[in-house]
């Protein structure tokens, strides 16, 4: 599979997400918004990484499948870990007590391994699907 050297719209997506991250800081803590931001940021960072290290290269089918599986794993695991980091940052910035309850933090911790597994399976499935389309 050939990976393009340039991803159209990546710069615009980065700028829009940075604006959303700045706007996210002001309101009180909300688990849904922190999860949405962490998923979007993780996917954007992984897209930048894929463009940087894989852009313009041609990968054999097995490497393509492995790359997408690992990117999926990183997306699932990274989303949960980044959510915890964002929760800590937001709590530290507001300085008036916890923004998120212990139950919300525990929920993120409890579900991160499942998101990692789902990302691994989704990445592998996407890799198989794109390989099947290519044939």
């Amino acid at each position: 599979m050939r990976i393009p050297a340039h991803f159209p719209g990546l710069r615009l997506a980065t700028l829009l997400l940075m604006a959303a991250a700045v706007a996210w800081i002001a309101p009180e803590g909300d688990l849904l918004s922190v999860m949405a931001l962490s998923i979007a940021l993780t996917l954007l960072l992984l897209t930048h990484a894929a463009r940087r290290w894989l852009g313009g290269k041609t990968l054999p089918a097995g490497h393509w499948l492995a790359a997408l599986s690992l990117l999926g794993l990183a997306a699932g695991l990274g989303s949960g870990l980044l959510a915890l980091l964002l929760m800590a940052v937001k709590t530290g910035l507001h300085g008036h007590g916890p923004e998120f309850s212990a139950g919300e933090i525990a929920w993120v911790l409890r579900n991160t391994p499942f998101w990692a597994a789902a990302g691994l399976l989704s990445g592998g499935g996407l890799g198989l699907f794109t390989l099947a389309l290519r044939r």
Side-chain angles (χ1 to χ4, degrees):
M1 291 293 280
R2 177 141 173 75
I3 299 157
H6 176 71
F7 291 22
L10 187 57
R11 183 175 300 203
L12 177 63
T14 302
L15 292 172
L16 290 173
L17 190 55
M18 291 305 108
V22 169
W24 167 81
I25 292 172
E28 291 299 315
D30 172 43
L31 186 59
L32 181 60
S33 68
V34 78
M35 288 310 305
L37 183 63
S38 70
I39 291 167
L41 279 172
T42 301
L43 292 176
L44 184 70
L45 290 171
L46 288 173
T47 303
H48 277 286
R51 183 195 55 82
R52 178 174 169 83
W53 289 305
L54 299 174
K57 295 182 180 175
T58 301
L59 297 179
H63 292 166
W64 171 255
L65 186 57
L68 283 182
S69 296
L70 288 175
L71 284 170
L73 174 67
L77 185 61
S79 295
L81 296 177
L82 187 57
L84 292 170
L85 178 66
L86 290 173
M87 291 167 125
V89 166
K90 190 156 191 169
T91 298
L93 285 175
H94 283 204
H96 59 69
E99 294 277 326
F100 301 94
S101 69
E104 290 172 325
I105 294 168
W107 182 84
V108 173
L109 282 170
R110 212 175 29 249
N111 287 302
T112 297
F114 297 114
W115 300 330
L120 177 68
L121 293 173
S122 298
L126 181 61
L128 289 172
F129 180 72
T130 55
L131 287 173
L133 285 178
R134 191 175 136 213
R135 294 179 193 255

